[in-house]
Amino acid sequence: MKKAPLIIGNWKLNPVSQKAAVTLAQATIKACRGTNASIAIAPPFVYLSDVSKKISRSKILLAAQDVSTEPLGAFTGEIAASQLRDLKISYVIIGHSERRARGETDSDVVQKVTQALKNKLTPVVCVGEKERDAKGDFYTTVAKQIKALTAVFGTTDIKKIVIAYEPIWAIGTGKTATVEDVKEMQLFIYSVLTKVFDRKVANSVKLLYGGSVKPHNAKVLHADGGMGGFLVGGASLNATDFAAIVKATE
Ligand code: PGA
């Protein structure tokens, strides 16, 4: 049986105030009422606590946008997985291209996933190429990012990791990958996983697509792209649009 789709709204560095964050959370709860999908929102760290209170009696879960590679200690500015767990956070986005652009490496990603798993947070690891080339070298980029995970995490752990395919050229640009691009990448990621794990284990890894997912393209991307849900950026800042994307997966 297919698992419920998962849709995560990544608010990135928005909105401007705590009040606006709570208002957006409230609007998201209202707009998503009655849907069966699994839903999470990822506000900036400073709003997690207030948003957590707001959503506590709804079906919406919380995600963090990053986590430290370190468990605790003298690491100024970092946030530990155990601290996120304490706030009842469910998911943590790791290796987003906007963080990789600031120097995050595959090895950092592995350490962050390790911290997340130790603290019972579900890591959502972002992979994706900067651009597409005619020779298909972009597949190598994605394979390398996934192999960094499969080299370290075994059967039990890999099943707990969500992989979000987010081609960088599609993020915030309005240039969505085509359904064929998404479907091919879904098959490719499973083929990379089945080189290491048996088919059942590989198939149990949840895959998401992210990159300019909007209400107008969500339905076809979901129905024919083969992924298990979406990681949504810009459109998650508008509760009506976000809910329309959620509903498009049902
Ligand atoms: P976008 O962002 O939906 O604004 O393209 C997606 C993401 O970065 O997760």
Side-chain angles (χ1 to χ4, degrees):
M1 216 180 76
K2 262 192 125 178
K3 277 188 268 167
L6 169 65
I7 296 87
I8 303 178
N10 177 9
W11 292 3
K12 307 191 181 184
L13 190 50
N14 300 289
V16 69
S17 67
Q18 178 180 308
K19 191 160 169 255
V22 172
T23 304
L24 178 56
Q26 172 71 46
T28 304
I29 295 169
K30 205 168 153 223
C32 293
R33 221 165 256 156
T35 58
N36 296 318
S38 304
I39 305 168
I41 48 178
F45 287 124
V46 283
Y47 303 145
L48 282 172
S49 189
D50 285 292
V51 171
S52 163
K53 281 183 210 134
K54 191 80 222 169
I55 64 170
S56 64
R57 280 185 292 140
S58 78
K59 61 169 290 180
I60 297 182
L61 299 173
L62 268 190
Q65 296 179 16
D66 190 21
V67 66
S68 181
T69 55
E70 306 302 328
L72 277 182
F75 301 99
T76 304
E78 296 286 292
I79 312 269
S82 56
Q83 295 166 329
L84 296 175
R85 186 67 206 159
D86 192 44
L87 277 182
K88 308 209 167 28
I89 310 293
S90 305
Y91 298 93
V92 58
I93 300 169
I94 295 174
H96 191 281
S97 58
E98 288 153 14
R99 299 224 54 87
R100 291 187 191 257
R102 291 175 161 260
E104 186 157 310
T105 63
D106 282 336
S107 137
D108 295 329
V109 169
V110 164
Q111 283 188 63
K112 290 178 178 197
V113 171
T114 305
Q115 289 302 323
L117 291 174
K118 261 192 196 153
N119 289 280
K120 301 197 166 32
L121 303 167
T122 300
V124 179
V125 177
C126 301
V127 300
E129 75 281 2
K130 230 186 229 125
E131 53 196 16
R132 290 212 159 200
D133 54 291
K135 285 201 305 214
D137 282 348
F138 59 93
Y139 281 116
T140 317
T141 307
V142 174
K144 183 176 160 280
Q145 291 169 330
I146 293 180
K147 283 181 190 161
L149 300 173
T150 60
V152 176
F153 301 106
T155 304
T156 316
D157 286 339
I158 203 79
K159 289 196 273 188
K160 297 179 188 157
I161 299 174
V162 175
I163 296 176
Y165 169 59
E166 294 211 309
I168 299 172
W169 51 267
I171 296 178
T173 58
K175 286 189 214 151
T176 322
T178 64
V179 172
E180 292 75 27
D181 293 340
V182 174
K183 183 68 199 168
E184 273 165 27
M185 192 52 83
Q186 181 238 0
L187 294 174
F188 177 73
I189 292 174
Y190 279 131
S191 80
V192 174
L193 292 170
T194 45
K195 291 217 170 74
V196 184
F197 304 103
D198 69 41
R199 190 161 292 278
K200 198 160 161 243
V201 172
N203 283 342
S204 69
V205 176
K206 196 171 211 34
L207 304 186
L208 306 182
Y209 168 75
S212 296
V213 179
K214 307 287 176 198
H216 72 86
N217 58 27
K219 200 175 178 101
V220 64
L221 281 173
H222 185 71
D224 302 330
M227 300 283 191
F230 295 124
L231 181 53
V232 183
S236 68
L237 298 174
N238 178 309
T240 311
D241 285 356
F242 184 63
I245 292 170
V246 171
K247 286 172 192 162
T249 65
E250 297 189 318

